[in-house]
Amino acid sequence: MTINTLGEVLIDAAGQRHAPYDGPARIVSLVPSLTELVCDLGLAPQLVGRTGFCIHPAPALKTVTKVGGTKDVNLARLRALAPTHIIVNVDENRRECVEEIATFVPNVIVTHPCAPEDNVPVYRLMGAIFGRRAESERLVTALEAALAEARALGAALPRERVLYLIWREPWMTVAQGTYIAAMLATVGWDTCPALSEPRYPAFEWNTAPWLSEVRRVLLSSEPYRFRERHLEEVRHLSGQPSSLIDGEMASWYGSRAIDGLRYLAALRRSLAAE
């Protein structure tokens, strides 16, 4: 069964409704941020597999088997774990790999949050599948409060055009159709360039005309590890104020989105006051 509709009622790819899973689940997560969500829902004891990029919460994951990366899954190791459920994401996992996994894992949970508010149905979906409705509703309440705070700040301050750097050599950023861009927009940061595709465009500092619109550059801690030593280089290239930003807080959905929104609101407030 591929569960691909986000909502309180579980509906599979054939349109059939299903009750929450009855029995101890054996969960494998191929999505780092959703591995963290599984643990925050109290399901760590049922988590039998993860990727090498699933690093939070570290204490709970020490004994959980690694099955490769998000895009290079060790299918033999995964099969040996005999999972009942596998959690995947449209952007992070390869479709052909997921289709192969679906031939031997009974329940494939497909997620695709595109904005912070999309975490609400993700929480409820996981809560409904695994019998953690109360825990998921607590996360919904916390997320809605964080969203309200972030949106209020975004409305109170002038909107600012920013460049969010994710890579160096080549220089790369994010398009406005990404989850990262939606998170930043919540606090009033509009990403450049103003396009949806490609999702992670490369650019040259001396040829991209849209760079003239940028008023601040944010250097992410992932996937490229931007550090203090890169700030002066970027300031020289852009001619604009530049700051480091915690990439996990901007890009991880699931339960981390709650702290992520609060982090972004605090960072926006701090930089606006400088």
Side-chain angles (χ1 to χ4, degrees), residues 60-72:
L61 299 179
K62 284 182 179 179
T63 60
V64 178
T65 301
K66 296 178 184 178
V67 294
T70 56
K71 293 181 171 57
D72 56 343

Side-chain angles (χ1 to χ4, degrees), residues 252-274:
W252 281 39
Y253 30 86
S255 44
R256 185 161 293 248
I258 298 166
D259 286 339
L261 287 164
R262 291 172 178 150
Y263 166 83
L264 291 177
L267 181 62
R268 176 83 209 275
R269 190 180 296 110
S270 173
L271 293 178
E274 290 181 357

Side-chain angles (χ1 to χ4, degrees), residues 77-88:
R77 188 176 301 169
L78 174 62
R79 188 188 293 268
L81 292 172
T84 59
H85 295 75
I86 189 159
I87 301 170
V88 300

Side-chain angles (χ1 to χ4, degrees), residues 119-266:
N119 286 292
V120 169
V122 172
Y123 298 164
R124 287 178 170 155
L125 178 68
M126 297 297 182
I129 293 171
F130 299 113
R132 292 292 191 276
R133 290 183 185 271
E135 292 85 347
S136 69
E137 285 306 315
R138 282 194 286 271
L139 290 177
V140 169
T141 299
L143 179 72
E144 289 176 341
L147 272 169
E149 176 190 343
R151 287 167 175 162
L153 179 71
L157 294 174
R159 300 196 73 81
E160 188 175 47
R161 301 284 280 176
V162 300
L163 173 64
Y164 185 96
L165 294 178
I166 60 170
W167 204 257
R168 181 178 179 273
E169 295 181 351
W171 295 97
M172 296 179 70
T173 184
V174 298
Q176 290 189 345
T178 59
Y179 180 86
I180 293 171
M183 284 283 285
L184 297 175
T186 306
V187 298
W189 275 329
D190 298 315
T191 54
C192 293
L195 49 79
S196 295
E197 296 290 341
R199 293 175 64 77
Y200 305 104
F203 68 93
E204 297 289 343
W205 290 100
N206 58 351
T207 60
W210 48 264
L211 283 170
S212 62
E213 303 172 14
V214 173
R215 294 297 174 264
R216 183 179 301 278
V217 184
L218 302 172
L219 289 73
S220 177
S221 61
E222 65 167 39
Y224 188 89
R225 291 182 175 273
F226 283 106
R227 293 294 183 262
E228 290 281 347
R229 66 180 182 273
H230 299 111
L231 287 174
E232 189 56 39
E233 176 188 19
V234 170
R235 287 175 185 139
H236 174 74
L237 290 168
S238 67
Q240 299 296 337
S242 302
S243 306
L244 298 175
I245 187 169
D246 186 329
E248 289 182 358
M249 290 299 191
S251 66
W252 281 39
Y253 30 86
S255 44
R256 185 161 293 248
I258 298 166
D259 286 339
L261 287 164
R262 291 172 178 150
Y263 166 83
L264 291 177

